[in-house]
Amino acid sequence: AGLDRGLAARVEDVRSIESTARALEEYACAQPISWANEEDVNMLNGRWRLVYTSAFAEGGSDGMSSPSLGGARPGPPSNGPVRLGKVYQRIQTRKRRLDNIIEPVYLDAPWPLPFPSFLPSPAATVQLGHELELVDNDRIRITGDGATIRPRGGPSFIRPLTFETPKLPFVDQLRNLLPEEVRQAFQRIGSSTFRVAYLDKDVYVTRGDRGELRVFCRD
């Protein structure tokens, strides 16, 4: 908790957590993860709370720059007006869904006129939706397909905003006509893949396609 999911981690903290995660992954009694095992698939389901990500920590691990809220990808600096509440990952394998949920996102800025100045700073719950695919023995591929923003604490007439990734007609049929290597290249552009390095009923550890270490606890 004191590391704020990695945003407050120092270099020595990052090394210590990395060492602990490696030991957990190499734990002799741990069974290899396999999506052919229905028990592993069922264990993956549920709502997981992010407790640490190296992507948050490494953005400022040089002691000079501030970590980015985008992690290994572009995003606002952690010392800017945007603050993150709790971060969750909701996985539903039967529905082939993985949603990243931030409850809430705070914006340390006043409401614009004509809203009253006594209103609290804007805040919203943000849900980033993804299609989910279990690949190989222990990897997950996700493809973003939309987002929902639900304002919190503001005027009641402000409604949730929903965005969906546009999809061209017959795009799947056209994609199937392409050579395999071309299909895979297009798939990598619009998706990301990560490996489930450790999984039990309470803890879920992943290694991302950009080297990020993420640790979740079941909520």
Side-chain angles (χ1 to χ4, degrees):
L3 300 182
D4 191 13
R5 294 152 295 175
L7 290 168
R10 300 167 299 178
V11 174
E12 53 267 34
D13 296 321
V14 173
R15 291 173 179 165
S16 175
I17 295 171
E18 174 66 29
S19 177
T20 302
R22 289 287 182 191
L24 192 61
E25 293 172 48
E26 297 166 5
Y27 180 48
C29 295
Q31 294 294 322
I33 296 167
S34 172
W35 303 139
N37 183 349
E38 187 175 353
E39 185 177 347
D40 285 347
V41 176
N42 290 336
M43 198 179 301
L44 187 63
N45 286 309
R47 180 172 158 118
W48 300 87
R49 178 171 54 86
L50 179 69
V51 295
Y52 174 81
T53 169
S54 63
F56 281 178
E58 290 166 0
S61 62
D62 57 6
M64 300 293 290
S65 60
S66 296
S68 165
L69 297 181
R73 292 168 172 78
S78 63
N79 60 356
V82 178
R83 293 184 293 114
L84 301 184
K86 293 181 179 180
V87 180
Y88 298 96
Q89 198 170 87
R90 183 177 62 205
I91 300 176
Q92 303 172 86
T93 55
R94 289 188 180 275
K95 294 182 177 181
R96 299 184 63 185
R97 299 297 304 170
L98 185 150
D99 299 319
N100 289 320
I101 304 167
I102 308 169
E103 294 184 344
V105 175
Y106 298 97
L107 179 62
D108 288 333
W111 288 90
L113 294 175
F115 296 114
S117 59
F118 59 80
L119 287 174
S121 295
T125 294
V126 177
Q127 177 176 312
L128 305 175
H130 303 83
E131 294 181 0
L132 174 148
E133 182 182 1
L134 303 179
V135 295
D136 301 329
N137 284 331
D138 58 0
R139 295 180 185 275
I140 294 175
R141 179 184 296 128
I142 58 174
T143 304
D145 59 6
T148 300
I149 302 174
R150 295 184 177 88
R152 295 172 52 150
S156 59
F157 60 82
I158 299 181
R159 300 301 182 188
L161 301 175
T162 299
F163 307 90
E164 293 185 0
T165 302
K167 193 170 185 179
L168 297 175
F170 310 113
V171 66
D172 292 330
Q173 293 87 334
L174 292 173
R175 186 183 290 115
N176 290 334
L177 298 176
L178 298 172
E180 176 65 21
E181 59 272 19
V182 177
R183 291 205 305 269
Q184 292 182 358
F186 274 115
Q187 194 169 42
R188 286 193 295 271
I189 292 172
S191 65
S192 62
T193 303
F194 54 88
R195 179 174 65 89
V196 178
Y198 180 83
L199 177 66
D200 65 25
K201 63 184 181 64
D202 298 312
V203 178
Y204 159 53
V205 179
T206 69
R207 297 277 182 180
D209 54 5
R210 300 194 182 191
E212 311 100 312
L213 167 66
R214 295 189 178 96
V215 181
F216 298 83
C217 288
R218 191 176 294 279
D219 187 50

